[in-house]
Amino acid sequence: MSIRKRKWKGPDGIEKEAWVVNYTDIKGVRRLKTFTRKKDADEFASKAAIEVREGVHVADRDTVTVKKAGELWIATGEGEDLERSTINQRKRHLKFHIEPFIGGTLLSKVDARAFQDTLRAEGRSPAMVKKALGSLGSIFADSIERKLAVRNPVRDMRRSRKGKERRAEQRQKGKLIVGEDIPTRDEVKALVGALSGRWRPLLLTAIFAGLRSSELRGLRWQDIELDRREIRVQQRADEFGEIGRPKSHAGERTIPIPPIVINALREWKLAYSRRSSAGTKTASRSGRT
């Protein structure tokens, strides 16, 4: 490992200089990396020496851009047979929130903090900033397994936060603000009062049972105990209608529901049965004709 100063004249005749780090990587390949400042060259040399010694160094020429790493990350998910909705979410995060800003950047040059600042400056919501950072961290985790990166800047950024900052974040995690994240009591009352038709039982169930959209899609009559006033969550359906078990054991649960939901479901079930019966009779008459 050596550092030397290089001087040369450009086409305009002006003398220029740079600092060149000369080293051999873990494959035994001689590498040269150039810096404009000696301080940066020294820092890289110190870091590269440790990484080479520990067998984890990845040269810039052996890594890929964030866009390419993201495509490999999506391929990994497809190979692991993740749900189609999860794969689509990965594609959206990569296309709309990661590629436009750092897609052409090499993994070794990504600054997670700067990426976070860019997302905020571009008007991304706090929730989306968090999701995009999470996806970027997942891309790096996949790249490390592929030997395309040696560090995860998203994980390093989170570890570098002071204890006070981490504790404050933990306190805020999961807290929902009434009127911003969820409707106020008056807004819920107004919504309930305006519900009618086929949307009434669906939205009442969503409001008072607190089911996720996938759980609502997967709900069956056999999962609803009208006499006992409860709903059993036993399956879910993704946005494409594919049925599966809840994502975790805790997702399988029994939820009590109030009379307003029970009455709406009873009315809906009765109306549905009448329509089905009427349809069967019509079909029978048509058959005889």
Side-chain angles (χ1 to χ4, degrees), residues 82-264:
L82 296 181
E83 291 185 1
R84 193 164 24 148
S85 56
T86 300
I87 297 298
N88 284 348
Q89 183 185 64
R90 288 189 173 193
K91 290 179 179 179
R92 289 194 297 270
H93 285 184
L94 182 63
K95 181 178 179 179
F96 298 112
H97 308 293
I98 298 177
E99 276 188 34
F101 310 113
I102 57 173
T105 305
L106 291 176
L107 294 177
S108 58
K109 298 183 180 298
V110 170
D111 184 331
R113 179 69 71 183
F115 173 63
Q116 181 186 54
D117 292 340
T118 298
L119 288 178
R120 289 171 175 167
E122 290 293 325
R124 300 302 194 273
S125 67
M128 181 50 67
V129 171
K130 184 176 181 180
K131 289 178 181 179
L133 272 175
S135 290
L136 181 62
S138 184
I139 289 173
F140 268 95
D142 182 69
S143 297
I144 289 173
E145 292 180 358
R146 295 175 181 273
K147 308 300 182 184
L148 297 174
V150 295
R151 68 182 185 88
N152 189 328
V154 176
R155 182 181 59 194
D156 294 343
M157 179 186 73
R158 289 169 175 166
R159 284 180 175 175
S160 68
R161 291 177 181 172
K162 296 180 180 179
K164 185 176 181 180
E165 290 179 312
R166 289 197 298 269
R167 288 193 296 272
E169 183 178 287
Q170 287 297 320
R171 285 196 299 271
Q172 292 300 320
K173 187 177 181 180
K175 288 187 176 180
L176 299 178
I177 301 176
V178 177
E180 293 184 16
D181 300 309
I182 57 177
T184 64
R185 183 182 296 272
D186 289 338
E187 288 171 338
V188 171
K189 287 182 178 179
L191 177 61
V192 170
L195 292 177
S196 62
R198 62 184 301 179
W199 291 108
R200 181 174 173 78
L202 174 65
L203 294 179
L204 285 177
T205 303
I207 291 170
F208 290 98
L211 299 182
R212 300 178 177 89
S213 57
S214 60
E215 294 170 342
L216 282 168
R217 287 192 292 264
L219 197 59
R220 303 162 295 182
W221 281 116
Q222 66 193 65
D223 300 324
I224 303 173
E225 292 285 351
L226 295 175
D227 293 334
R228 300 177 63 176
R229 297 183 179 180
E230 61 185 26
I231 289 176
R232 295 192 307 274
V233 180
Q234 298 179 311
Q235 66 175 25
R236 57 190 295 275
D238 67 15
E239 59 188 292
F240 304 101
E242 296 181 4
I243 302 296
R245 307 297 298 179
K247 288 189 173 181
S248 66
H249 179 69
E252 297 187 25
R253 60 201 189 280
T254 299
I255 304 171
I257 48 180
I260 187 174
V261 179
I262 293 296
N263 294 336

Side-chain angles (χ1 to χ4, degrees), residues 197-198 201 221 263-273 275:
R198 62 184 301 179
W221 281 116
N263 294 336
L265 290 174
R266 284 188 190 277
E267 292 173 3
W268 175 251
K269 187 174 184 180
L270 181 60
Y272 177 81
S273 300
R275 284 195 297 271

Side-chain angles (χ1 to χ4, degrees), residues 45-65:
S46 299
K47 180 181 177 182
I50 295 173
E51 291 175 350
V52 170
R53 185 167 62 249
E54 295 179 349
V56 297
H57 180 71
V58 177
D60 286 348
R61 289 188 179 182
D62 291 338
T63 190
V64 295
T65 64

